[in-house]
């Protein structure tokens, strides 16, 4: 199974908000959630982003979500949007990195999200802001689970880069 090339539409404002949050905690990792909708099979629109909750844990090479706080924010946005804007993925930083390549921890996180009953996602996004304070660059990835086979009971994790399109 091969995913089609995806495009993520993200507002310049959302990218600025993520960048300011990245600057605020630099050189520690931070992150949050992405809210939006799938316009079709190849276009996803990010309508809102949230930074970390008060119980999030920020370290030099890791970031742990404040899941309860994030779930409440996602539910609030879902209701506010008349049940059209949903959780579509996460974002986080890789301070001082030269690329937004996914770590093993990132890949395990994607697999966990895709296996979650609450998330109800066939495909999820992960935005990685990499670089240094005030010089963040975004890399965007989409992941979905492949099919299990008779030789391999565990479904493979398919990850592909996503094209970024900014809107105002």
């Amino acid at each position: 199974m091969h995913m089609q090339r995806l495009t993520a539409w993200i507002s310049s404002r959302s990218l600025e908000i993520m960048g300011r949050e990245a600057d605020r905690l630099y050189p520690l990792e931070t992150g949050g959630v992405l809210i939006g909708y799938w316009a079709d099979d190849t276009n996803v629109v990010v309508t809102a982003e949230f930074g970390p909750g008060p119980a999030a844990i920020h370290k030099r090479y890791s970031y742990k979500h404040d899941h309860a706080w994030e779930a409440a924010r996602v539910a609030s946005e879902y209701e506010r949007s008349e049940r059209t804007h949903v959780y579509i993925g996460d974002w986080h930083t890789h301070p001082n990195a030269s690329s937004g390549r996914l770590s093993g921890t990132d890949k395990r996180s994607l697999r966990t999200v895709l296996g979650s009953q609450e998330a109800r996602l066939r495909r999820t996004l992960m935005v990685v802001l990499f670089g240094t304070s005030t010089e963040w660059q975004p890399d965007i990835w989409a992941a979905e689970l492949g099919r299990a086979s008779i030789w391999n009971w565990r479904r493979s994790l398919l990850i592909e880069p996503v094209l970024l399109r900014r809107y105002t």
Side-chain angles (χ1 to χ4, degrees):
M1 173 166 45
H2 185 73
M3 292 188 285
Q4 298 175 6
R5 181 64 189 236
L6 299 174
T7 300
W9 298 83
I10 303 177
S11 72
S12 295
R13 181 178 178 278
S14 284
L15 289 167
E16 287 170 18
I17 289 168
M18 288 185 272
R20 280 198 303 271
E21 175 59 24
D23 287 344
R24 184 177 77 81
L25 283 154
Y26 180 84
L28 304 178
E29 284 197 16
T30 190
V33 298
L34 302 169
I35 304 293
Y37 62 91
W38 290 91
D40 57 34
D41 282 345
T42 60
N43 289 278
V44 60
V45 180
V46 175
T47 58
E49 77 304 311
F50 300 119
I57 299 170
H58 307 272
K59 294 185 178 176
R60 179 63 189 88
Y61 297 105
S62 67
Y63 161 71
K64 290 220 185 314
H65 292 265
D66 179 348
H67 290 289
W69 183 88
E70 289 177 355
R73 294 292 305 265
V74 168
S76 174
E77 188 64 22
Y78 179 66
E79 290 303 319
R80 193 191 68 70
S81 69
E82 299 180 352
R83 300 180 177 192
T84 57
H85 300 174
V86 299
Y87 169 83
I88 55 172
D90 297 314
W91 71 272
H92 71 280
T93 60
H94 285 179
N96 300 321
S98 58
S99 82
R101 239 186 339 264
L102 298 176
S103 68
T105 301
D106 295 337
K107 291 174 185 175
R108 283 188 296 280
S109 175
L110 287 167
R111 183 179 287 282
T112 299
V113 167
L114 290 166
S116 162
Q117 293 298 328
E118 298 85 45
R120 292 184 291 224
L121 294 173
R122 181 179 65 87
R123 184 185 284 159
T124 189
L125 290 185
M126 185 171 278
V127 172
V128 177
L129 295 182
F130 66 94
T132 59
S133 184
T134 73
E135 299 291 329
W136 299 103
Q137 299 294 317
D139 269 353
I140 307 175
W141 306 92
E144 67 183 69
L145 294 174
R147 291 207 175 106
S149 71
I150 59 172
W151 298 280
N152 187 2
W153 60 270
R154 190 172 187 208
R155 296 171 69 183
S156 59
L157 182 65
L158 306 173
I159 300 171
E160 295 211 6
V162 176
L163 183 64
L164 169 63
R165 291 274 190 238
R166 296 172 196 250
Y167 69 89
T168 51

